[in-house]
Amino acid sequence: MPPKKRHSGVTQSREPKPDADSASSPDKQDSPELSEKKHREKDAKFVSLCKSLHVSDLVCDRAWALWKTVQESMDKVPGSQERLWGACLFVIVTDMDIGCFTVTQVLKAVSLNLKQFLVVVRQLDVNLDTISTKVNSALTRLEKKYDVMLALYQRFEKTCKNIFVLTPDGKERETTRTCWTMFLLSKGRALQMEDDLVISFQLLLCTLELFIKRCSPDQLQPLYQSAISKVQTPPTRTSRRSLSKAKSRPVEPEVDAQLLETLCKDNECNIEEVKNVYQTSFMAFLESVDLSRSTDFPQVNFINQQYEEHYLKSRDIDGRLFFDGDESVLPPKVEISQVERTPKKNQPDEDGPMIPPQTPIRAAMTSIKMLRGDLPPNGDQPSTALATYFKNCTVDPTQDVQKRLETLGQVFSQKFGEAVGPRCVVYGRQRFALGIRLYYKVMEAMLKSEEKRLSVQNFSKLLNDSTFHTSLLACSLEVVMATYEESSFKNGGSDQTGTNLCFPWILNVLSLPAFDFYKVIESFIKAEQTLSKDIIKHLETCENLIMERIAWRTDSPLFELLKQEHANAAPEPAETPASLNQPLQHNHTAADLYLSPMRPGLRGLPPYSPATPPQPPAASQSTSQAPCQAPRPPKSNSLSLFYKKLYRLAYTRLKTLCSYLLSSNPELEPIIWTLFQYTLQHEYELMRDRHLDQLMMSAMYAICKVKSVDLRFKSIVSAYKNLPNTNQETFKNVLITEGHYDSIIVFYNQVFMQKLKTNILQHASTRPPPLSPIPQIPRSPYKFPNSPLRVPGSNNVYISPMKSSRMSPGIMTPRSRMLVSIGESFGLGNRFQKINQMVNSSERSHKRTMDPGSTLKPLKRLRFDMDGQDEADGSKPGGDSTLIQKLTEMSSTWSRMQEQKMKEDPEMEDESQ
């Protein structure tokens, strides 16, 4: 069964059977032996399976009852019954939180690998109420841990080939097997969040260092022979008894710095971070197993015994099976190709480096390297320019900034250590130090932009706003943790797990309301031009989560703003429906949002809607108002922008769900949207401690009901599960009354319908309410700075600015095409001739040969368009054509390309004004 505390482990070539001594459990204490007499009415094979897995009578009964329920609900049972029985047993022991068997033991019993087993367990959820949230979370954690362990083993296997010499007797296999087992043990002891890919990999390098320096030179490849900083004498293998005498020996140097540096360089890992892991977590592990003072190889039997105990206690997958290539942990063939993503070999006549396989570990190491490279080296203090901004303030915020960072740094590091594992506080300090550097960098960029926009240098009010600073720091830390794969939505992040660093963990740690955090996200992305596409998507997902549910918690300041907005009786709501069909344009920056409301509600008002009386033009009201009209109270910029984004997110999700369910009734989509939008605008209290999608599904069911369209909640939630970033908890656990949760159906009957019954029935009358305008859905406001831009006048030519000189063009450009990097040495002259041949050739390729009578097919390669003609159609443009001419044309259109980008991005256009 999945562990309570996210420990991992994995097994050797043969699966050990736990006995009463090595695998005690609460269940066994109640019933050590399954009574076959009590289960005569059950299938004999099912009872035999239960007995082999050492389950109790109670577990057997409940698993059989679950099986009968599943059997009755399924029209046809997929696969073999034995596999579904194993899944039922897994669900029951997970729900009951008892330990009867390990994950590996149930995989062996039903002859499945882990990925197949996860699919089978999820197949049980036929009625959408079979698998509890607890079981679903266990499955998600188990899958993430398996993916991390698979990635680690694949890297371990490749690294060992670069380190150890292969011998005819296979002696190196014993060394690498013990090394892998010892790593698994150290990971299980040092980390309680064992799906932390980066720290786990750093521990792996520490373990390799320990074994390499104990090997004789003839066992090592030349690189690692020369890396060892001192002459080694061949170690001896000691018995377990002699380990107790090791304490009297001189203490061995903690780490061979030269060897560790070679390992880190070979694996693109930061040496200082690995040293910290070695001196804290790894040394503490060695002390715990009495190996810190020994110069000998760890004893094989001792390491195996220690790991065996950990594995059986954790009830997890046995990590040793990766080394043996056991079928229970082998990934499907498709999975292997997705993990490796190894490019094809270069053509024989092509020079240049191969693109390295983009494995999960390589991707993480590259992201970390780029993050560190983008930050100023001495960025733990404000730069000269930023310090000048501080001094220009009416009230200098310098001391408050420093005190805040010191306080929050201690809190963050402590909470990080509690979540990741013992002695991991130091890693929290490292993450926080990187966060400070990013925090100062982005703050300076924001202030420079504001100075250019407003022509002022005194930002005293903003820079003395504690919420602004905490939000900016939280966003910086979130970027750092996402880069280190510690805050990743791949693990089904939930804020209910103490060992989960996934967003919104950072908000809880810094006691920051989600509504305040949302204000900084867009400005942060625009200010920090070096953010990768993945990080931008991550922050956009964070923003969506805030709008969907986190900002709607009871203690959120959002409700107070809405209350004030309605109490002021402003002529327009937070966001008028009429503005929905306009592009999402605004020129609000973080300064506007944190100091909002700052300007009269007249500024930036959306056009009036038919439901509200027209207003005089804004220009006539900016200086004076009609005598009969009272001055309006200030309007919240942050609330207005929040609702604009909320409506667009809500409609996007509704449109996707309608495409799944109501393709034959397209006329219902605008009606459902009208009810949905009305609820968000006028009955926003229904969102308190609830999820946006709960109102969406209820609105869909309500309209289908009154329009006599047969659509049941079971169909709605089945389709809903196919939407991105969804969780079954959304429809299984909905707030009904304070402290009481139930299904989406109960919520609809007892809450939603009771509140909106009159409005719902209006849509069935002969005079239904007017339809709300459909929001215009623009592309993501968060542009990716490295995305290629199309050259105006051509559908085939794109220019992408080089982001940084740290990444060579040979790495960044697919090797299936030739590469020209302006300003850098290109190589042999014959390559220019080949490119000219490609450009001038009517076939457009120096490798393509065509029969005289064959029809030319449109090419998938990059083509140059001239005078509106595509040379792929066989026509030849007039005049000479050379690569230099083409590049000159591309360069001359750069300004036009920038103008096009400004037109396609209204927000950037507003910002430049």
Side-chain angles (χ1 to χ4, degrees):
M1 151 184 145
K4 302 175 188 175
K5 289 187 179 180
R6 311 183 74 179
H7 287 292
S8 102
V10 202
T11 167
Q12 210 159 282
S13 56
R14 55 190 178 87
E15 169 64 16
K17 295 183 179 180
D19 52 31
D21 296 329
S22 64
S24 59
S25 70
D27 184 59
K28 282 192 171 186
Q29 294 172 5
D30 296 336
S31 178
E33 283 291 333
L34 189 73
S35 174
E36 296 188 26
K37 294 181 180 180
K38 295 181 179 179
H39 308 288
R40 290 176 179 174
E41 78 287 355
K42 300 180 180 67
D43 192 299
K45 291 183 179 179
F46 174 81
V47 177
S48 177
L49 176 63
C50 291
K51 193 170 184 178
S52 68
L53 292 173
H54 305 281
V55 304
S56 66
D57 290 325
L58 179 60
V59 171
C60 182
D61 286 336
R62 292 190 178 183
W64 183 254
L66 174 59
W67 160 246
K68 298 304 289 185
T69 301
V70 170
Q71 192 178 32
E72 292 172 0
S73 303
M74 289 182 172
D75 297 331
K76 183 180 179 181
V77 176
S80 68
Q81 290 186 349
E82 287 79 3
R83 294 177 175 183
L84 287 168
W85 290 341
C88 290
L89 287 165
F90 175 86
V91 169
I92 294 301
V93 298
T94 302
D95 266 329
M96 295 177 65
D97 203 14
I98 59 175
C100 301
F101 48 79
T102 68
V103 172
T104 292
Q105 287 167 351
V106 72
L107 293 179
K108 294 282 190 179
V110 298
S111 302
L112 286 174
N113 66 42
L114 184 72
K115 289 289 188 178
Q116 294 169 333
F117 182 71
L118 293 173
V119 172
V120 171
V121 175
R122 286 170 175 145
Q123 284 178 344
L124 298 181
D125 208 14
V126 288
N127 282 326
L128 306 169
D129 57 359
T130 305
I131 298 180
S132 66
T133 302
K134 183 177 181 180
V135 173
N136 190 63
S137 298
L139 291 173
T140 303
R141 290 196 303 271
L142 185 61
E143 185 171 23
K144 176 67 187 303
K145 188 183 297 185
Y146 168 80
D147 291 339
V148 167
M149 200 176 296
L150 174 63
L152 289 168
Y153 181 73
Q154 289 174 335
R155 172 53 70 94
F156 172 79
E157 195 173 36
K158 292 179 181 179
T159 304
C160 285
K161 291 179 181 178
N162 297 332
I163 296 174
F164 300 104
V165 174
L166 299 179
T167 58
D169 59 357
K171 185 178 179 181
E172 77 286 346
R173 287 282 295 174
E174 181 184 352
T175 301
T176 53
R177 178 191 293 276
T178 307
C179 181
W180 174 249
T181 306
M182 186 169 173
F183 158 68
L184 294 173
L185 179 60
S186 67
K187 183 165 72 80
R189 294 274 184 89
L191 302 177
Q192 70 184 52
M193 197 176 81
E194 289 193 63
D195 56 10
D196 190 308
L197 179 66
V198 174
I199 299 180
S200 296
F201 180 57
Q202 292 167 344
L203 271 172
L204 179 58
L205 295 182
C206 295
T207 311
L208 283 167
E209 186 271 352
L210 185 80
F211 275 76
I212 292 172
K213 66 187 181 185
R214 284 164 169 72
C215 289
S216 58
D218 60 340
Q219 293 179 278
L220 302 174
Q221 298 285 4
L223 175 64
Y224 287 92
Q225 286 183 8
S226 59
I228 299 178
S229 58
K230 61 181 183 299
V231 179
Q232 301 283 328
T233 57
T236 59
R237 300 188 180 276
T238 58
S239 64
R240 180 72 182 93
R241 181 181 304 173
S242 64
L243 290 176
S244 61
K245 301 178 181 179
K247 296 182 180 179
S248 61
R249 300 177 181 176
V251 177
E252 182 190 11
E254 288 188 357
V255 59
D256 187 325
Q258 182 177 334
L259 174 56
L260 196 63
E261 185 175 355
T262 302
L263 270 170
C264 291
K265 185 177 180 180
D266 200 26
N267 289 278
E268 301 178 299
C269 205
N270 182 272
I271 178 65
E272 295 303 321
E273 290 186 357
V274 178
K275 280 184 179 179
N276 279 329
V277 170
Y278 197 108
Q279 293 165 357
T280 54
S281 298
F282 192 64
M283 283 301 299
F285 161 71
L286 294 179
E287 288 281 356
S288 70
V289 291
D290 293 329
L291 291 174
S292 60
R293 300 171 184 268
S294 172
T295 59
D296 301 321
F297 277 107
Q299 193 194 27
V300 178
N301 292 337
F302 171 67
I303 295 298
N304 263 321
Q305 178 189 352
Q306 292 287 308
Y307 179 72
E308 182 81 7
E309 293 175 1
H310 166 75
Y311 151 65
L312 293 174
K313 183 179 179 181
S314 67
R315 308 287 176 189
D316 216 326
I317 47 180
D318 185 346
R320 293 168 297 186
L321 293 179
F322 284 97
F323 193 90
D324 299 310
D326 191 274
E327 291 184 356
S328 65
V329 293
L330 283 180
K333 292 182 180 180
V334 176
E335 193 77 18
I336 296 177
S337 63
Q338 290 175 347
V339 171
E340 291 297 330
R341 286 180 283 174
T342 305
K344 296 180 179 179
K345 294 182 65 176
N346 290 12
Q347 298 297 332
D349 58 345
E350 287 191 358
D351 301 322
M354 281 280 293
I355 304 174
Q358 189 67 359
T359 61
I361 291 178
R362 183 179 294 276
M365 295 301 107
T366 301
S367 297
I368 293 170
K369 183 179 180 181
M370 293 180 67
L371 172 67
R372 287 179 164 273
D374 290 331
L375 296 177
N378 299 320
D380 55 343
Q381 295 295 327
S383 67
T384 303
L386 186 57
T388 302
Y389 280 119
F390 287 173
K391 292 178 182 178
N392 288 338
C393 292
T394 306
V395 178
D396 191 334
T398 303
Q399 290 188 359
D400 287 342
V401 168
Q402 293 175 347
K403 290 180 180 177
R404 185 182 300 108
L405 290 177
E406 182 178 351
T407 301
L408 295 180
Q410 293 176 355
V411 173
F412 175 87
S413 302
Q414 188 65 35
K415 293 295 184 182
F416 185 95
E418 292 174 4
V420 177
R423 298 179 177 84
C424 293
V425 173
V426 63
Y427 313 146
R429 294 195 192 103
Q430 291 175 346
R431 307 291 188 270
F432 194 80
L434 287 175
I436 290 178
R437 290 162 62 184
L438 184 58
Y439 159 78
Y440 280 139
K441 180 187 177 186
V442 174
M443 189 192 308
E444 181 179 336
M446 284 183 175
L447 294 176
K448 286 181 178 178
S449 177
E450 287 294 284
E451 180 182 5
K452 182 178 180 181
R453 185 174 73 102
L454 303 174
S455 300
V456 297
Q457 294 181 336
N458 186 345
F459 298 102
S460 184
K461 192 165 186 179
L462 176 65
L463 292 178
N464 282 280
D465 188 302
S466 177
T467 303
F468 164 72
H469 285 285
T470 305
S471 301
L472 183 58
L473 177 64
C475 197
S476 302
L477 291 171
E478 183 64 25
V479 167
V480 170
M481 291 193 296
T483 302
Y484 276 80
E485 296 283 337
E486 287 158 343
S487 178
S488 171
F489 296 107
K490 298 175 185 177
N491 62 357
S494 171
D495 48 349
Q496 297 181 356
T497 306
T499 56
N500 194 338
L501 299 181
C502 191
F503 186 83
W505 179 86
I506 188 64
L507 303 185
N508 300 331
V509 169
L510 301 185
S511 301
L512 179 67
F515 183 75
D516 289 328
F517 180 80
Y518 119 86
K519 300 175 188 177
V520 83
I521 295 177
E522 187 170 336
S523 293
F524 188 101
I525 293 174
K526 290 180 178 179
E528 182 47 56
Q529 294 294 319
T530 63
L531 293 178
S532 69
K533 188 174 182 179
D534 287 340
I535 295 298
I536 293 175
K537 286 184 175 181
H538 178 87
L539 291 177
E540 189 172 10
T541 303
C542 292
E543 185 181 66
N544 289 344
L545 287 174
I546 290 172
M547 291 187 290
E548 288 173 2
R549 62 179 179 89
I550 306 175
W552 298 98
R553 292 173 178 170
T554 294
D555 56 353
S556 172
L558 174 60
F559 287 102
E560 184 62 28
L561 278 175
L562 285 168
K563 183 179 178 181
Q564 293 175 4
E565 194 80 16
H566 283 257
N568 290 333
E572 74 285 333
E575 173 68 8
T576 60
S579 67
L580 299 181
N581 54 6
Q582 298 181 355
L584 182 57
Q585 300 184 33
H586 72 90
N587 52 9
H588 298 314
T589 63
D592 291 320
L593 302 183
Y594 282 100
L595 302 180
S596 171
M598 286 295 295
R599 297 169 177 81
L602 313 170
R603 179 185 174 184
L605 285 180
Y608 67 90
S609 69
T612 59
Q615 303 296 325
S620 65
Q621 299 182 13
S622 58
T623 56
S624 62
Q625 294 187 346
C628 60
Q629 185 177 8
R632 297 186 197 171
K635 181 177 178 63
S636 170
N637 293 329
S638 59
L639 182 60
S640 178
L641 181 59
F642 179 85
Y643 256 78
K644 285 179 180 179
K645 292 188 174 185
L646 174 68
Y647 282 157
R648 282 158 176 81
L649 173 65
Y651 178 72
T652 300
R653 296 182 71 78
L654 176 64
K655 184 178 180 65
T656 304
L657 192 60
C658 287
S659 68
Y660 292 156
L661 296 168
L662 298 174
S663 57
S664 58
N665 300 94
E667 72 282 358
L668 294 184
E669 181 187 301
I671 304 175
I672 298 170
W673 167 243
T674 299
L675 175 61
F676 191 13
Q677 185 270 327
Y678 173 89
T679 307
L680 293 173
Q681 177 180 330
H682 297 286
E683 302 293 346
Y684 59 85
E685 279 291 336
L686 286 176
M687 280 294 297
R688 189 182 292 270
D689 292 327
R690 296 190 179 97
H691 195 291
L692 178 70
D693 294 344
Q694 293 165 355
L695 271 61
M696 174 185 70
M697 290 184 279
S698 297
M700 175 175 282
Y701 181 82
I703 295 301
C704 289
K705 193 77 172 175
V706 298
K707 293 295 183 179
S708 301
V709 174
D710 185 18
L711 182 65
R712 303 185 180 185
F713 260 120
K714 181 178 179 180
S715 301
I716 294 176
V717 297
S718 295
Y720 173 76
K721 294 203 304 186
N722 294 321
L723 267 63
N725 301 320
T726 57
N727 191 310
Q728 66 170 351
E729 189 175 353
T730 303
F731 54 82
K732 286 188 176 181
N733 294 287
V734 189
L735 178 66
I736 308 302
T737 58
E738 185 176 356
H740 174 57
Y741 292 79
D742 213 314
S743 69
I744 184 72
I745 300 175
V746 177
F747 166 73
Y748 174 83
N749 289 328
Q750 297 186 11
V751 182
F752 188 86
M753 188 183 67
Q754 302 301 323
K755 192 73 174 178
L756 293 163
K757 187 174 183 178
T758 301
N759 189 275
I760 293 171
L761 293 177
Q762 285 178 353
H763 289 281
S765 66
T766 55
R767 300 183 62 183
L771 298 177
S772 295
I774 299 298
Q776 184 179 91
I777 306 299
R779 53 183 184 169
S780 170
Y782 306 122
K783 305 306 175 202
F784 307 126
N786 292 328
S787 298
L789 302 174
R790 184 174 63 84
V791 176
S794 171
N795 293 326
N796 305 305
V797 180
Y798 292 81
I799 297 179
S800 180
M802 182 178 291
K803 177 180 176 183
S804 171
S805 60
R806 297 190 313 278
M807 296 291 288
S808 69
I811 299 282
M812 298 166 63
T813 304
R815 298 304 305 161
S816 59
R817 301 292 180 267
M818 285 189 172
L819 167 70
V820 176
S821 180
I822 305 300
E824 296 188 11
S825 175
F826 182 56
L828 300 176
N830 64 341
R831 300 199 68 192
F832 282 107
Q833 296 176 359
K834 292 179 181 179
I835 294 177
N836 282 333
Q837 182 180 356
M838 288 175 59
V839 173
N840 292 318
S841 172
S842 60
E843 289 82 19
R844 312 305 302 146
S845 173
H846 68 295
K847 295 181 180 179
R848 184 181 298 250
T849 57
M850 304 291 291
D851 295 331
S854 62
T855 303
L856 291 173
K857 298 180 180 179
L859 301 185
K860 296 180 180 179
R861 298 185 176 218
L862 179 144
R863 302 187 302 268
F864 292 98
D865 292 342
M866 294 186 61
D867 301 326
Q869 288 184 327
D870 186 351
E871 294 181 18
D873 63 4
S875 62
K876 295 185 179 180
D880 295 334
S881 176
T882 65
L883 175 65
I884 300 302
Q885 290 174 335
K886 300 300 179 183
L887 295 176
T888 303
E889 292 172 9
M890 294 165 64
S891 176
S892 67
T893 58
W894 179 259
S895 58
R896 284 188 293 149
M897 180 188 63
Q898 292 286 21
E899 292 176 2
Q900 175 188 346
K901 182 183 178 184
M902 296 288 285
K903 292 178 182 179
E904 293 178 350
D905 188 357
E907 296 176 22
M908 292 183 63
E909 186 176 10
D910 290 339
E911 187 173 313
S912 65
Q913 293 176 350

PDB file of all heavy atoms in Angstrom, residues 30 88 103 136 212 443 629:
ATOM      1  N   ASP A  30      -5.013  -8.296  14.275  1.00  0.00           N
ATOM      2  CA  ASP A  30      -6.414  -8.687  14.471  1.00  0.00           C
ATOM      3  C   ASP A  30      -6.673 -10.089  13.923  1.00  0.00           C
ATOM      4  O   ASP A  30      -7.398 -10.871  14.503  1.00  0.00           O
ATOM      5  CB  ASP A  30      -7.348  -7.691  13.768  1.00  0.00           C
ATOM      6  CG  ASP A  30      -7.237  -6.310  14.397  1.00  0.00           C
ATOM      7  OD1 ASP A  30      -6.844  -6.250  15.574  1.00  0.00           O
ATOM      8  OD2 ASP A  30      -7.511  -5.326  13.707  1.00  0.00           O
ATOM      9  N   CYS A  88      -9.093  -3.792  -6.290  1.00  0.00           N
ATOM     10  CA  CYS A  88     -10.059  -3.635  -5.190  1.00  0.00           C
ATOM     11  C   CYS A  88      -9.372  -3.751  -3.829  1.00  0.00           C
ATOM     12  O   CYS A  88      -9.667  -2.980  -2.902  1.00  0.00           O
ATOM     13  CB  CYS A  88     -11.162  -4.689  -5.311  1.00  0.00           C
ATOM     14  SG  CYS A  88     -12.297  -4.438  -6.691  1.00  0.00           S
ATOM     15  N   VAL A 103       3.226  -2.385  -2.507  1.00  0.00           N
ATOM     16  CA  VAL A 103       2.763  -2.188  -3.882  1.00  0.00           C
ATOM     17  C   VAL A 103       3.387  -3.233  -4.800  1.00  0.00           C
ATOM     18  O   VAL A 103       2.717  -3.803  -5.660  1.00  0.00           O
ATOM     19  CB  VAL A 103       3.107  -0.762  -4.358  1.00  0.00           C
ATOM     20  CG1 VAL A 103       2.806  -0.610  -5.842  1.00  0.00           C
ATOM     21  CG2 VAL A 103       2.338   0.269  -3.548  1.00  0.00           C
ATOM     22  N   ASN A 136      -7.259   8.447  -4.624  1.00  0.00           N
ATOM     23  CA  ASN A 136      -6.802   9.159  -5.811  1.00  0.00           C
ATOM     24  C   ASN A 136      -5.496   9.896  -5.541  1.00  0.00           C
ATOM     25  O   ASN A 136      -4.588   9.910  -6.372  1.00  0.00           O
ATOM     26  CB  ASN A 136      -7.883  10.148  -6.265  1.00  0.00           C
ATOM     27  CG  ASN A 136      -7.582  10.740  -7.620  1.00  0.00           C
ATOM     28  OD1 ASN A 136      -7.515  10.044  -8.624  1.00  0.00           O
ATOM     29  ND2 ASN A 136      -7.395  12.049  -7.656  1.00  0.00           N
ATOM     30  N   ILE A 212      33.124   5.543  -5.976  1.00  0.00           N
ATOM     31  CA  ILE A 212      34.228   5.735  -6.924  1.00  0.00           C
ATOM     32  C   ILE A 212      35.561   5.806  -6.190  1.00  0.00           C
ATOM     33  O   ILE A 212      36.545   5.175  -6.591  1.00  0.00           O
ATOM     34  CB  ILE A 212      34.001   7.014  -7.753  1.00  0.00           C
ATOM     35  CG1 ILE A 212      32.795   6.836  -8.680  1.00  0.00           C
ATOM     36  CG2 ILE A 212      35.238   7.351  -8.575  1.00  0.00           C
ATOM     37  CD1 ILE A 212      32.377   8.107  -9.391  1.00  0.00           C
ATOM     38  N   MET A 443      11.998  43.599  -9.119  1.00  0.00           N
ATOM     39  CA  MET A 443      11.558  44.868  -8.551  1.00  0.00           C
ATOM     40  C   MET A 443      12.205  46.046  -9.284  1.00  0.00           C
ATOM     41  O   MET A 443      11.542  47.038  -9.614  1.00  0.00           O
ATOM     42  CB  MET A 443      11.895  44.939  -7.061  1.00  0.00           C
ATOM     43  CG  MET A 443      11.269  46.140  -6.368  1.00  0.00           C
ATOM     44  SD  MET A 443      11.932  46.441  -4.708  1.00  0.00           S
ATOM     45  CE  MET A 443      11.735  44.843  -3.950  1.00  0.00           C
ATOM     46  N   GLN A 629     -25.881  64.530 -10.865  1.00  0.00           N
ATOM     47  CA  GLN A 629     -25.192  63.253 -10.658  1.00  0.00           C
ATOM     48  C   GLN A 629     -24.189  63.377  -9.525  1.00  0.00           C
ATOM     49  O   GLN A 629     -23.321  64.236  -9.532  1.00  0.00           O
ATOM     50  CB  GLN A 629     -24.466  62.825 -11.941  1.00  0.00           C
ATOM     51  CG  GLN A 629     -23.838  61.440 -11.823  1.00  0.00           C
ATOM     52  CD  GLN A 629     -23.201  61.037 -13.129  1.00  0.00           C
ATOM     53  OE1 GLN A 629     -23.116  61.842 -14.043  1.00  0.00           O
ATOM     54  NE2 GLN A 629     -22.759  59.810 -13.234  1.00  0.00           N
TER      55      GLN A 629
END
